[in-house]
Amino acid sequence: MSVDPPSSSRRLKERLESQFTFLSDPEGVLLDGLGIRHRGGRNDGVDIAYPTAMLVDADGIVRWVFQSDAYQERARAGQIFAAIADLEGAGGRGSP
Amino acid sequence: MIWVSILVVSVVLAGVGVSLTSEAPDVQLGAGLIIQGRVPWVLLALLWGGVALGALSMLRGRALPKLAVVVLEVVPVAFVTWYVIAGSALPAHTLAIDPGDPFPAYALEDQDGALHRVAALEKRAPALYIFYRGHW
């Protein structure tokens, strides 16, 4: 998910040969809802997201969050798979 | 000494290049041995140490060709230094969501223009949301 328009997301998806869905949030509605709007974060002054990953369960509840305030630092695959395994271990709902 | 300088700087820069372009998750910047930490001081010390060796070697003669090498080293090393330090100084902020909170409702288009509309607390398939900076 990014503030890029769908056309940019499509190019990126094709370039990466990714199976993921690329959602566009050009107004940053979710960035405000989640508190991850990096104002003027892009070189041309456009607001973008702080790099963030969230795992959401079948009830729409956030079960795991990764965030860093350094843009080089991202959730690693091992961290993500561990969070998914925890969620699966809790029957898809996570711990209360 | 100039050859040691070239070796150190080029090998570390190659490591940075692999780290930045690799699709293997454990090779990405932040995960490599010399790139650990918010500001990778070890990486920067290696790079600038290599440049310093090149500069010192100028004292041993043939200063002009060595100066050219040092300049060639300084440009990418300065860029990497700016990149890692600038990226480590993002403004502080507070998440509006903690684990256990509902993910907000949204109605957003995907890469094909198809609308994805989900209400807060609506039943869904569990999903991983990754927010990236975009503009790639």
Side-chain angles (χ1 to χ4, degrees):
Chain A
M1 192 172 295
S2 74
V3 299
D4 289 349
S7 56
S8 297
S9 298
R10 186 168 61 248
R11 282 196 297 276
L12 179 62
K13 179 181 167 79
E14 289 170 356
R15 183 154 59 86
L16 298 177
E17 298 179 2
S18 171
Q19 303 298 309
F20 292 127
T21 300
F22 285 63
L23 292 178
S24 290
D25 186 7
E27 306 299 323
V29 174
L30 269 181
L31 304 189
D32 289 330
L34 299 170
I36 59 170
R37 181 186 287 269
H38 181 191
R39 295 193 182 281
R42 211 164 72 184
N43 293 340
D44 55 4
V46 170
D47 293 354
I48 53 176
Y50 286 100
T52 306
M54 289 189 177
L55 192 60
V56 178
D57 72 10
D59 294 324
I61 301 295
V62 175
R63 289 301 176 190
W64 173 81
V65 176
F66 174 91
Q67 199 184 40
S68 170
D69 53 7
Y71 70 68
Q72 306 99 327
E73 196 176 17
R74 307 292 161 80
R76 297 206 294 273
Q79 294 172 291
I80 293 172
F81 286 133
I84 292 172
D86 284 347
L87 188 62
E88 286 177 338
R93 288 170 179 261
S95 55
Chain B
M1 205 187 304
I2 190 70
W3 292 108
V4 178
S5 168
I6 293 171
L7 184 68
V8 169
V9 172
S10 56
V11 166
V12 177
L13 283 178
V16 172
V18 169
S19 166
L20 287 176
T21 56
S22 173
E23 294 179 6
D26 289 334
V27 187
Q28 287 172 3
L29 200 62
L33 272 180
I34 58 170
I35 316 179
Q36 287 276 358
R38 182 61 47 84
V39 177
W41 296 113
V42 177
L43 169 85
L44 294 180
L46 280 171
L47 285 174
W48 285 107
V51 171
L53 279 178
L56 282 175
S57 76
M58 289 167 59
L59 299 175
R60 294 182 160 195
R62 299 183 65 199
L64 207 56
K66 289 176 179 173
L67 177 64
V69 171
V70 171
V71 169
L72 281 176
E73 290 177 344
V74 162
V75 172
V77 168
F79 173 76
V80 169
T81 303
W82 167 81
Y83 179 83
V84 295
I85 290 182
S88 303
L90 297 179
H93 64 287
T94 305
L95 268 175
I97 295 278
D98 290 317
D101 293 339
F103 193 80
Y106 63 86
L108 300 172
E109 287 183 334
D110 69 12
Q111 71 282 341
D112 299 317
L115 189 66
H116 292 244
R117 184 188 297 275
V118 183
L121 300 176
E122 181 179 331
K123 294 285 184 186
R124 70 193 75 189
L128 174 70
Y129 293 86
I130 295 177
F131 295 83
Y132 61 99
R133 295 168 64 82
H135 207 42
W136 289 347

